[in-house]
Amino acid sequence: MRQQHTPSHIRKPLLITAGVLATLLLIHLIGVYIYMWGKYVWLPGWSTSIALIGDAPDMMKPLSYGKNPNDTLVYPFLYRGLIRYNVDDGTAREDLAQCDLSKIEKITCALKKDMRWSDGTIIQTDDVLATFRGFTEFGENPTMTETLRDTRIEVKDWTIIFNNPDKDIDVLELLTYPIYRSDMVEQMKTNRFTTGSHLTSGQYTFGEQVEDTAYMNKRITLVRNDKTSLTPAWFDKIHFKFFENTSAIKNAEDTVGIVVPWTKSEQIELSERFRPYNYTTYEYFSVFFQTDRLSKSMRNALHWQIGTSLSGITDKNHSGISNIFTGYDSILPAGSIGSFADIMKKNGYMKRDDWVSQIESTPTTITGEIIYDKPKYFTNRVNSNVLFVDTESGELVLNGSFDGSVTAVIINGYQLKEFRAANKKFTYRVSLEAGTMKEWKNTYLLEGKVGNTDTVLSEILTVYYTRDAEKMAEYKKTVDDEYIARNNTPALIAEREREKEKKKEAALALDPLYYYDKDGKAFKLTIAYITGLQSTEFYALEVEKILKNLSLQAELLPLDPKWLQDIIKTGKKDYDIIIAGLSVGDSISGIGQLFDPANAGKWINLANIEVQKIPDLFGELRAATTEEQMKPIITEIQRIMEEESFFLPIATPIHTLYVDRNLKWIRDISIIAGTKSIYEIVEFASIKDAYVFDTSNKSLWRFFSWIGSLLF
C-alpha cells in the first residue's frame, strides 16, 4: 500500500501554530506559577465614617462609660479591657491580661508585660487599679458601681486579683471595661481632663469631637495609633457621626461608609453604593409558660404542641428558631408526649362525652374499697377521718389547723393549753400510757371555739387500735361493713341516683368541643402579648389558633407599656402564657437573670421558674473560655429547659446595617452582640488592597517539578 504524506505547504503552518500554542501555554503556566500562593493584603490610608442615630458619648468623661449605650461603639476602638468576648462563639478571651475565670468568686488576671499606651509607655497594674477605683468613685452605671463596691481588688506584681464573695456575674462585665492610665484617671477626678489627655491602648487615638452643622451631626474623629500592641488599623482616620433622625442620615449618605441600625422598626433607603448586611442579635421572641399556673405535664404538652406547630411560621422580619444556642438541637420535649387527651385527663379535664360516660358508669351503690370522708380540721398522712393504729405504745399525734377566728381548741373535753390563735395550728398527743388510747374503737371530738361567740367548729376523728393482726383485719372489715350498710339505704341510693342524673344533665349541656373539670368549668388559657413597637400579636394569634385546634379555649390579653409598668410594680401575673420579646445585651448568658428564683415574684421572671441551677449555669457559661467548656454547660441548660418546659424561643428579629461596597475586608458576623461588635466588623477593614506575589522557594527547577506534578 502507498504511504500518504502531509504536503509540505500544510505541514509548515501546522508546526508554526503548534509552536505558538506551546509558547503561549508555557507563558501561561509561568504566570500561574508566579501568581500562585500570593495573597491580597491591606494597604493603609484613607478614612471611613460610621453613622447612627443617638447621643454621642462625652469623650471628656471616660469614667461615665456604660451610661450611654453608644459608649460601647466608640471606646473599643480606643481602649482595651482585661478580657474581651469572641463574637463567633461567645467565649471569653484574653485582651490586656490572661484571666483565670474558673472561680467567679476569685478571678486572677496576669497583666501582659508588653502592652503599651499610645505614647509608647508600658501598661502597668497601677493603671488597672486606678481605673477601677475611678469607676467606683465616679462611675455612672449603677449596676457596675455596686458590683465594684462589693469586689475587693488586690495587686501583686503583674497580677490583679478580684475577690467577689457574692459570686456576682457582673464582675465579668467589669473585666471588659476600658483601662485608663493612672495619670488620666487623676485628671478625670480633678476635672483637668482635656482632649489631649487621651492616652489609648487600642487601634486608634482620640482626634476631636465637634458638631458638624453642615450635615447636622455630632462627630467624633479617631486617628490611627501606630504604637498599639494590636495589629495596626488600616484607616488613617475613622469618624463616628451621630444623627438625630433618618432624614439627616439620608441627606449625608455621601459622607458615610457604614450606617448602623438604630431602632428595630425604622427603615431607610440608601443608594446602590451600600450593600445590606443582615444580622441578628441576642433578642428572642419567646413563649413563657407560667409554672405556678400550669402543671409540668401540661407545660410539656403545650410546649411540644406549640413548638412543633409554630416551626417555620414567622413574621417576615424575623428568623424562626427553636433554640437560643446556634448549632444545638431544639429544646422541645424529646420523643412522644402521649395523647393530649390523656394528659388533660391526668390534670382533671375531659370533654363532655367523656364526662357523660364516666358519670353513667359511676355506681350509686357503694361497694369494694372504701374511701372514707376527708377531715376538715384534722390533718394526717392518709387524709381520712378513720385511722388504724397498731404501734406498741399506741402513740399518735393528732394535729390540724383552724383559721384565725378560733381562739380555743378542745379535744374530748380537754382544752389545749399551748394553742395560740395567731399560730392557727394545734397538736394533741394520745397514747396507751396516757390513757387516751385503748383497744378497739377510740373517738376524738374536736371543738374550736370562735372568739366570744357561741359558735363552735367541730368534727370527729375515729381511731381503731390493736396489736393483733387478725383483730385489725376484723376491725377493718367491721368498719367497712358498717360504712356500706350505713350508706346504702334505699333513700341514700335514690338520692345518689338523682344527683347522678343532675350531673349527667349538666354535662350534656356543655360544649362537646372543649375540656372541662369535674365541676363543669372550662379549661381556659389566658395568653398575654405585648403591644406597641415590639408587638408580639402576630405570634399570639398563631398560638390562639394552635390551642383552638387542641380544643382549648384561649383568651388574648394585650399588654401595653402602661399595663406593663403596673405588672412590674405589683409582680402580679394574670396570665398562663405570655409571648414577649426579650433582649439580653451583648451576651446570651444575660438570659440567666430571667430565670433567677430571686426574681420569681417579679416581672422579669416571666415564667416564675424557681430552679436555681439555671442562672448558675448561665453564669458558668459567661465565664467559659473555650467551646469545650461551653458544650456541657449548654447541654445541661437544654436538658433542664426541655424537662421543665417553661420557655420556648420562636424567632429572632433580622436587622440590617448598610456597608459601602468600596469597603474591603468587612468581617461577616451572624450575631452582633450590641454596638460593641461593630469594632469586630471593621477591625481590619480598608479601602485599598493589593495582591502580593510569593516569590519565596520558587526557581526554574521547582517550576518544572510543578509541571511534572500536574502531568503525572
Side-chain angles (χ1 to χ4, degrees):
M1 178 183 288
R2 180 182 290 179
Q3 190 173 6
Q4 299 290 326
H5 295 280
T6 304
S8 61
H9 69 280
I10 296 176
R11 185 167 61 249
K12 187 175 182 180
L14 287 175
L15 291 173
I16 293 173
T17 301
V20 170
L21 291 175
T23 302
L24 291 174
L25 177 61
L26 180 62
I27 293 171
H28 174 72
L29 290 172
I30 292 172
V32 171
Y33 179 69
I34 293 173
Y35 194 83
M36 284 180 66
W37 302 296
K39 62 180 179 180
Y40 278 99
V41 296
W42 303 275
L43 294 178
W46 299 65
S47 66
T48 192
S49 297
I50 298 175
L52 72 160
I53 292 175
D55 296 326
D58 186 350
M59 302 307 294
M60 295 302 98
K61 297 178 64 178
L63 288 176
S64 68
Y65 177 87
K67 179 181 179 182
N68 183 340
N70 291 326
D71 289 345
T72 56
L73 171 65
V74 179
Y75 276 82
F77 290 83
L78 293 168
Y79 296 99
R80 300 168 64 183
L82 297 178
I83 66 170
R84 62 193 289 192
Y85 279 88
N86 189 324
V87 294
D88 294 318
D89 59 20
T91 56
R93 60 179 178 175
E94 62 187 52
D95 199 353
L96 289 176
Q98 294 176 319
C99 296
D100 180 0
L101 308 179
S102 59
K103 294 182 179 179
I104 195 72
E105 66 272 21
K106 187 175 183 178
I107 296 174
T108 302
C109 294
L111 187 66
K112 298 177 183 177
K113 298 180 181 180
D114 56 349
M115 299 293 101
R116 296 183 181 274
W117 295 111
S118 52
D119 66 352
T121 58
I122 297 293
I123 298 174
Q124 305 283 340
T125 52
D126 287 347
D127 299 323
V128 178
L129 190 59
T131 297
F132 287 120
R133 283 177 177 171
F135 276 121
T136 304
E137 296 176 36
F138 297 95
E140 297 187 35
N141 183 324
T143 302
M144 292 298 105
T145 301
E146 183 179 352
T147 300
L148 272 168
R149 287 172 180 159
D150 294 336
T151 302
R152 183 168 55 87
I153 304 175
E154 302 175 62
V155 172
K156 297 179 181 179
D157 297 325
W158 288 88
T159 301
I160 308 104
I161 302 170
F162 297 83
N163 295 287
N164 173 34
D166 293 337
K167 298 184 179 181
D168 186 348
I169 196 67
D170 286 328
V171 76
L172 294 173
E173 179 65 19
L174 282 175
L175 300 185
T176 69
Y177 263 44
I179 300 300
Y180 308 128
R181 207 165 80 169
S182 57
D183 56 343
M184 283 177 56
V185 177
E186 191 59 35
Q187 291 174 24
M188 297 173 202
K189 290 181 178 181
T190 55
N191 295 319
R192 294 182 293 113
F193 194 83
T194 66
T195 55
S197 298
H198 282 279
L199 286 169
T200 65
S201 55
Q203 286 186 315
Y204 293 86
T205 61
F206 180 72
E208 63 178 357
Q209 182 168 5
V210 298
E211 188 162 346
D212 186 342
T213 55
Y215 289 101
M216 301 180 65
N217 66 75
K218 294 180 179 179
R219 173 171 56 81
I220 295 174
T221 296
L222 310 183
V223 181
R224 184 173 62 237
N225 175 13
D226 292 323
K227 294 183 179 180
T228 180
S229 305
L230 298 168
T231 301
W234 300 106
F235 290 119
D236 289 336
K237 293 181 179 180
I238 191 165
H239 310 283
F240 296 91
K241 299 181 178 181
F242 298 87
F243 295 85
E244 291 186 357
N245 51 55
T246 55
S247 298
I249 290 182
K250 178 67 177 173
N251 292 334
E253 71 170 276
D254 290 340
T255 71
V256 300
I258 297 175
V259 178
V260 180
W262 41 98
T263 67
K264 307 302 187 271
S265 62
E266 233 174 337
Q267 299 292 323
I268 185 171
E269 292 185 5
L270 299 173
S271 67
E272 286 298 314
R273 181 168 65 88
F274 292 90
R275 70 174 177 88
Y277 182 117
N278 293 331
Y279 68 94
T280 59
T281 64
Y282 293 123
E283 299 173 289
Y284 308 99
F285 286 100
S286 308
V287 181
F288 296 85
F289 301 90
Q290 268 268 50
T291 57
D292 55 356
R293 291 173 61 135
L294 296 170
S295 69
K296 189 173 179 179
S297 62
M298 184 68 73
R299 296 198 307 272
N300 283 152
L302 294 174
H303 193 268
W304 191 87
Q305 295 284 352
I306 293 173
T308 53
S309 299
L310 277 181
S311 178
I313 301 176
T314 58
D315 182 274
K316 62 180 180 179
N317 296 318
H318 299 166
S319 175
I321 58 173
S322 60
N323 196 331
I324 57 175
F325 299 110
T326 304
Y328 286 79
D329 293 336
S330 165
I331 58 171
L332 294 178
S336 174
I337 61 168
S339 164
F340 187 72
D342 288 343
I343 293 171
M344 291 297 293
K345 186 175 182 179
K346 289 177 182 177
N347 283 272
Y349 293 91
M350 293 191 296
K351 289 187 177 182
R352 184 197 70 179
D353 293 346
D354 293 324
W355 280 119
V356 171
S357 297
Q358 180 172 298
I359 292 168
E360 289 178 339
S361 62
T362 302
T364 53
T365 300
I366 297 175
T367 57
E369 183 180 357
I370 305 302
I371 300 176
Y372 299 104
D373 295 335
K374 297 178 181 179
K376 187 174 182 181
Y377 306 115
F378 278 114
T379 57
N380 52 68
R381 59 185 176 81
V382 295
N383 199 23
S384 170
N385 64 3
V386 177
L387 300 177
F388 298 91
V389 178
D390 60 0
T391 60
E392 183 176 352
S393 64
E395 187 173 286
L396 178 67
V397 177
L398 307 181
N399 49 42
S401 63
F402 287 103
D403 61 28
S405 63
V406 172
T407 56
V409 174
I410 301 169
I411 297 180
N412 285 355
Y414 174 76
Q415 183 169 336
L416 305 187
K417 296 177 181 179
E418 296 182 358
F419 174 77
R420 298 291 182 270
N423 191 32
K424 300 181 183 180
K425 297 181 180 180
F426 63 85
T427 299
Y428 180 58
R429 191 180 302 273
V430 298
S431 66
L432 293 173
E433 183 180 0
T436 49
M437 177 74 78
K438 66 179 188 300
E439 181 83 13
W440 178 230
K441 183 177 183 181
N442 300 269
T443 57
Y444 300 96
L445 172 62
L446 172 66
E447 296 175 290
K449 292 188 175 181
V450 179
N452 296 322
T453 69
D454 294 332
T455 303
V456 176
L457 306 178
S458 64
E459 72 177 355
I460 294 176
L461 178 70
T462 304
V463 180
Y464 292 89
Y465 173 77
T466 184
R467 291 282 293 156
D468 188 312
E470 291 184 2
K471 281 187 177 181
M472 182 62 78
E474 292 177 7
Y475 290 173
K476 289 182 178 180
K477 184 177 184 310
T478 299
V479 173
D480 288 353
D481 290 344
E482 288 179 356
Y483 184 89
I484 290 172
R486 187 168 63 251
N487 288 278
N488 276 341
T489 64
L492 289 176
I493 293 174
E495 183 179 340
R496 286 196 287 270
E497 287 284 358
R498 290 191 296 270
E499 185 62 28
K500 180 177 177 178
E501 285 302 313
K502 286 182 181 179
K503 288 183 178 180
K504 182 177 177 180
E505 288 177 12
L508 287 170
L510 300 176
D511 188 324
L513 182 62
Y514 300 111
Y515 288 91
Y516 301 87
D517 65 10
K518 62 182 179 61
D519 298 320
K521 184 179 179 181
F523 181 81
K524 180 186 290 186
L525 291 171
T526 300
I527 308 169
Y529 67 92
I530 312 302
T531 62
L533 186 63
Q534 293 294 315
S535 174
T536 55
E537 183 178 13
F538 172 84
Y539 295 109
L541 292 172
E542 291 296 327
V543 170
E544 183 185 31
K545 291 178 189 175
I546 294 167
L547 296 180
K548 286 186 175 179
N549 287 335
L550 293 172
S551 297
L552 300 179
Q553 294 188 34
E555 177 184 11
L556 295 181
L557 176 63
L559 298 176
D560 66 18
K562 180 180 179 299
W563 290 344
L564 281 177
Q565 290 303 316
D566 292 339
I567 294 176
I568 291 170
K569 290 178 182 177
T570 63
K572 188 177 182 182
K573 304 180 180 78
D574 291 326
Y575 56 80
D576 301 292
I577 295 172
I578 186 168
I579 305 172
L582 58 98
S583 177
V584 293
D586 63 357
S587 171
I588 197 171
S589 61
I591 291 180
Q593 65 176 326
L594 301 176
F595 310 127
D596 192 331
N599 295 324
K602 303 174 185 177
W603 164 251
I604 193 171
N605 190 332
L606 296 175
N608 269 355
I609 186 69
E610 297 189 45
V611 180
Q612 182 59 49
K613 194 173 183 181
I614 299 174
D616 290 346
L617 286 167
F618 274 105
E620 292 177 24
L621 190 64
R622 180 70 166 163
T625 56
T626 66
E627 286 190 73
E628 287 69 28
Q629 289 178 356
M630 294 179 74
K631 285 178 181 178
I633 299 171
I634 291 175
T635 300
E636 181 62 9
I637 291 173
Q638 296 226 135
R639 184 194 66 76
I640 296 173
M641 285 185 170
E642 179 183 315
E643 183 180 295
E644 296 293 335
S645 297
F646 59 89
F647 169 68
L648 175 65
I650 50 180
T652 183
I654 299 173
H655 302 305
T656 304
L657 60 82
Y658 302 89
V659 179
D660 187 334
R661 296 181 190 275
N662 294 311
L663 291 178
K664 299 174 172 45
W665 309 106
I666 293 291
R667 184 178 178 186
D668 284 326
I669 301 174
S670 59
I671 299 179
I672 293 181
T675 54
K676 189 181 293 185
S677 296
I678 301 301
Y679 170 74
E680 306 280 352
I681 293 173
V682 301
E683 183 178 7
F684 301 115
S686 68
I687 291 179
K688 297 192 297 182
D689 62 5
Y691 190 85
V692 177
F693 297 104
D694 181 6
T695 57
S696 62
N697 297 318
K698 287 182 179 177
S699 65
L700 185 62
W701 168 251
R702 287 192 172 91
F703 170 70
F704 285 111
S705 297
W706 174 68
I707 293 294
S709 67
L710 294 178
L711 295 175
F712 305 104

